[in-house]
Amino acid sequence: MPIDEDVTGDEIDKDVRQELQSLPKTLAEDVARNLVMVARLIDEDPEGAYGYSKVALRLASRVAAVREAAGFAAYANQKFSEALAEFRAARRMTGQAELWPVMADCERGLGRPEKALEMAGAPEVQRLDKAGQVEMRLVAAGARRDMGQLDAAIVTLQSPELASNSVQPWTARLRYAYADALLAADRDGEAREWFAKAVEADRDGSTDASDRLAELDGVEFVDALSEDRAEAKSEADEEKAERVEDTEDEVPASDEDDEADVADEADDDDEDEEDEDLADDLDDLDDNDDLDEDTDADEADADKDAKDAKDVNDAKDVNDA
């Protein structure tokens, strides 16, 4: 697959670069460029990212960073079984627990929320950093909702991290998930409050909290471009209708006159055809007369030739005598 011209491979994380040092230099550079393409495309073009991850995996399947990248690319394309296999392979290679929450979410994607909840209570969770623990809480709450346990999902999300006024990388998503669960439980007032808090924390627009909040407030967003197009189309239709009316007004003859004209033209055509037929008949008669005259002339010539031949014979007889 083609690599963007501006990609050198030096853009990768230093820890990943260190892992790639076990490979030959040229091979390491190729793998690094493909990993950069995975990171570049995974949000906007998941399928493209998945393709580059497959290339990197084919080149260096024994590198943990490559297996992890392949797992995230598969996860972005909802290939949960494949993603889970790659994450497990990466975890075996590194012995780290940081992939535990996303592995649990793969279990949800495979329709096994009970397994995800089991993982949420495993000892590996205690080895996670704060961000990982919050992520695990989000996965567990989602599993509760998958099982129809809405109230339990709300309780799962209630935590010191949710109540904290400080804004962390996970704050917006945590508040958003809590607001969404409250809304599902028909607690609209509380849901609006937490959507507003999510908007405050969502500095990079990672959620659609502002749209959800506007929806609760009854604000309807209008696409100005669509309105302009509709108005332009309406004006064009009106102009077309006016042109049609003007064209109809310029036609003086009525439908009956048109029909009469057509009938007259048909009669004229018939008369012309009759005249042509009569002329053809006359020509045929002339041809027949000419044929008769030629025949008579031929017969006269034949008689004359016979008479001449008789005269010759008679003359011969006379000479012989």
Side-chain angles (χ1 to χ4, degrees):
M1 297 181 68
I3 303 293
D4 292 350
E5 294 182 357
D6 61 323
V7 173
T8 64
D10 295 333
E11 300 89 346
I12 61 175
D13 184 84
K14 63 179 182 180
D15 293 334
V16 177
R17 188 181 300 111
Q18 186 175 356
E19 285 189 57
L20 295 179
Q21 288 179 356
S22 61
L23 303 174
K25 183 178 180 181
T26 302
L27 180 58
E29 291 174 352
D30 289 343
V31 173
R33 284 195 291 268
N34 279 281
L35 292 179
V36 172
M37 291 302 298
V38 172
R40 176 174 290 188
L41 297 177
I42 197 165
D43 292 329
E44 301 297 331
D45 182 13
E47 290 186 4
Y50 180 74
Y52 284 103
S53 74
K54 283 297 189 181
V55 175
L57 193 60
R58 188 169 60 249
L59 295 174
S61 61
R62 296 185 178 182
V63 176
V66 172
R67 304 301 291 265
E68 182 177 331
F72 277 111
Y75 179 82
N77 285 275
Q78 298 185 359
K79 299 178 183 293
F80 298 115
S81 181
E82 183 178 342
L84 185 57
E86 296 300 336
F87 289 141
R88 284 173 174 169
R91 181 170 174 270
R92 284 195 302 269
M93 292 177 181
T94 63
Q96 298 177 1
E98 60 183 14
L99 294 175
W100 197 251
V102 70
M103 290 170 61
D105 206 39
C106 286
E107 295 288 358
R108 283 187 61 210
L110 292 170
R112 301 194 290 254
E114 299 87 353
K115 179 62 177 178
L117 286 177
E118 180 183 336
M119 293 179 67
E124 283 80 359
V125 176
Q126 303 303 318
R127 297 169 52 193
L128 297 171
D129 59 12
K130 183 61 67 176
Q133 291 179 2
V134 171
E135 191 67 32
M136 192 71 251
R137 190 178 293 275
L138 289 169
V139 173
R144 292 290 186 186
R145 292 189 64 172
D146 293 343
M147 298 169 64
Q149 301 174 4
L150 190 54
D151 291 337
I154 293 173
V155 172
T156 300
L157 293 169
Q158 294 172 348
S159 61
E161 293 79 18
L162 179 67
S164 175
N165 291 325
S166 64
V167 176
Q168 303 295 332
W170 62 79
T171 303
R173 293 179 58 238
L174 182 59
R175 292 177 179 178
Y176 182 93
Y178 188 59
D180 190 56
L182 290 170
L183 187 62
D186 296 327
R187 295 162 63 174
D188 294 6
E190 295 174 84
R192 189 202 176 284
E193 176 186 352
W194 282 98
F195 275 128
K197 291 182 177 181
V199 170
E200 294 175 359
D202 194 2
R203 297 169 180 172
D204 59 356
S206 61
T207 71
D208 64 345
S210 59
D211 293 341
R212 301 292 298 277
L213 180 62
E215 184 180 349
L216 285 174
D217 289 341
V219 177
E220 181 178 355
F221 293 97
V222 178
D223 189 340
L225 182 60
S226 296
E227 279 195 346
D228 292 342
R229 289 176 178 172
E231 184 177 351
K233 184 178 183 302
S234 177
E235 292 177 356
D237 291 341
E238 291 178 1
E239 291 178 1
K240 182 178 179 181
E242 291 176 358
R243 288 197 298 271
V244 171
E245 291 177 359
D246 294 340
T247 302
E248 292 176 351
D249 293 340
E250 292 175 0
V251 179
S254 64
D255 293 341
E256 294 179 356
D257 293 338
D258 292 340
E259 292 177 358
D261 292 340
V262 171
D264 291 341
E265 291 178 358
D267 292 339
D268 292 341
D269 292 339
D270 293 340
E271 292 177 359
D272 292 340
E273 290 180 0
E274 292 176 358
D275 292 341
E276 291 177 359
D277 293 340
L278 180 59
D280 292 339
D281 293 340
L282 292 175
D283 291 338
D284 293 339
L285 290 174
D286 291 339
D287 293 339
N288 291 332
D289 291 341
D290 292 339
L291 181 61
D292 293 339
E293 290 177 358
D294 294 337
T295 302
D296 292 336
D298 293 338
E299 291 176 353
D301 291 337
D303 292 341
K304 183 177 180 300
D305 292 338
K307 183 177 181 301
D308 291 341
K310 183 177 183 302
D311 292 341
V312 170
N313 292 329
D314 291 343
K316 287 182 177 180
D317 293 340
V318 171
N319 290 335
D320 293 338

